[in-house]
Amino acid sequence: MPELPEVEIARRNLERWLVGRRILNARVLDRLALRGQSVSRLIRTLRGATVRGMGRRGKHLIWDLGGRGRIASHFGMSGKLVMRSANEALPGASRVVLHLARGRKLAFVDVRRLGAFQLVDEMVEKKLRGLGVGPLEPSFTPSRLSHLLSGARLPIKSFLMDQRRIAGLGNIHVAEALFRAGLHPALESGSLSESETRALHRGIRDTLNETLRKENADEMRYLQESGSENRFLVYGRKGEPCPRCATRIERMMQGGRSTFYCPGCQATK
């Protein structure tokens, strides 16, 4: 599933590809991507619009179309945006296609059909407002994290994945951040000491920034795809030696998701 770094890389690519460019036309190949919104209204909004800016809120990309309004796109579990030339075939599972000036087209591709490509209406705006602080924003400080954690009883991994608290973290980067901080994923959130909170803050920032450095590419790839490389320290490495202490990495289930951790470095209290 795309997480904050992958979505941020997509934002940077789209900013480079699209800002200042005109959308000639749009096609909706699968109306499910609009999540109940009007196909004709989306097409009317996009046709002839110029992309003025490309922002991000958590895992949502926000397209600024100037006076035409905004688009919010979310990748769900398997989505991506792929640029092609006019004579190239569209990727499989293309759901929305934008035809651009100078013979290019951009496809919103979503194999599992869990993503969204929507106009920012009142309902979408409400969802965006309900998201928590971004972990790479200047306002996300150790003291802000401490305030968020105060009194919380959820396991720390579940807490960090709650988008209403911190927007953008996902299963992979939470596992990596907890490993870097030396914290067991099942620890009660409100039990962290000041030094543990600082270590967690640093672990979150470090793992996100490292992925941004390593994964900057024109097209998003997934760990499950052929040829993709697992560059993470513990995620997906059950049974392998911990890179820090050589204890074998273990896997457990939390909230229906796999959690990878080192029982040596991330002991329970």
Side-chain angles (χ1 to χ4, degrees), residues 1 13 22 30 33 40 54 96 105-106 130 134 142 156 170 175 206 229 238 251 255 263 265-266:
M1 176 180 182
N13 286 339
R22 188 164 170 260
D30 184 353
S40 59
M54 191 65 60
V96 179
K105 57 192 176 189
L106 183 77
I156 186 61
D206 286 351
E229 178 186 356
K238 179 185 176 182
R251 171 182 172 269
C265 295
Q266 296 170 265

Side-chain angles (χ1 to χ4, degrees), residues 214-215 221-232 237:
K214 289 180 176 179
E215 298 291 337
R221 294 188 66 83
Y222 296 85
L223 283 177
Q224 299 89 343
E225 291 181 341
S226 174
S228 58
E229 178 186 356
N230 184 354
R231 297 176 175 174
F232 299 104
R237 297 193 181 277

Side-chain angles (χ1 to χ4, degrees), residues 157 171 175 184-185 234-240 247-263 266:
K157 188 198 173 195
N171 198 42
H184 193 281
V234 293
Y235 184 84
R237 297 193 181 277
K238 179 185 176 182
E240 297 181 27
T247 302
R248 291 198 179 278
I249 302 298
E250 292 188 4
R251 171 182 172 269
M252 67 178 184
M253 298 301 292
Q254 283 183 296
R257 306 293 298 277
S258 293
T259 296
F260 297 88
Y261 69 101
C262 171
Q266 296 170 265

Side-chain angles (χ1 to χ4, degrees), residues 195-207:
S195 62
E196 288 171 332
T197 300
R198 285 199 303 270
L200 178 58
H201 179 270
R202 185 167 58 251
I204 291 169
R205 289 285 187 94
D206 286 351
T207 192

Side-chain angles (χ1 to χ4, degrees), residues 99-194:
H99 296 271
L100 309 171
R102 298 198 294 269
R104 304 286 281 174
K105 57 192 176 189
L106 183 77
F108 176 68
V109 180
D110 186 10
V111 174
R112 297 183 64 179
R113 303 175 79 207
L114 296 172
F117 194 95
Q118 298 175 286
L119 293 167
V120 178
D121 59 11
E122 199 171 311
M123 187 175 297
V124 174
E125 185 65 60
K126 182 178 180 181
K127 182 187 295 185
L128 295 173
R129 284 199 305 268
L131 295 173
V133 62
L136 292 180
E137 292 175 9
S139 59
F140 182 69
T141 61
S143 61
R144 178 75 176 272
L145 178 58
S146 179
H147 177 74
L148 289 169
L149 292 168
S150 180
R153 304 190 68 178
L154 280 173
I156 186 61
K157 188 198 173 195
S158 301
F159 178 95
L160 293 173
M161 291 190 54
D162 184 347
Q163 302 300 298
R164 296 168 299 177
R165 292 181 165 99
I166 303 173
L169 294 178
N171 198 42
I172 295 175
H173 291 90
V174 167
E176 294 291 294
L178 290 171
F179 172 72
R180 289 171 183 267
L183 299 173
H184 193 281
L187 285 174
E188 187 176 291
S189 301
S191 72
L192 269 60
S193 67
E194 183 179 344

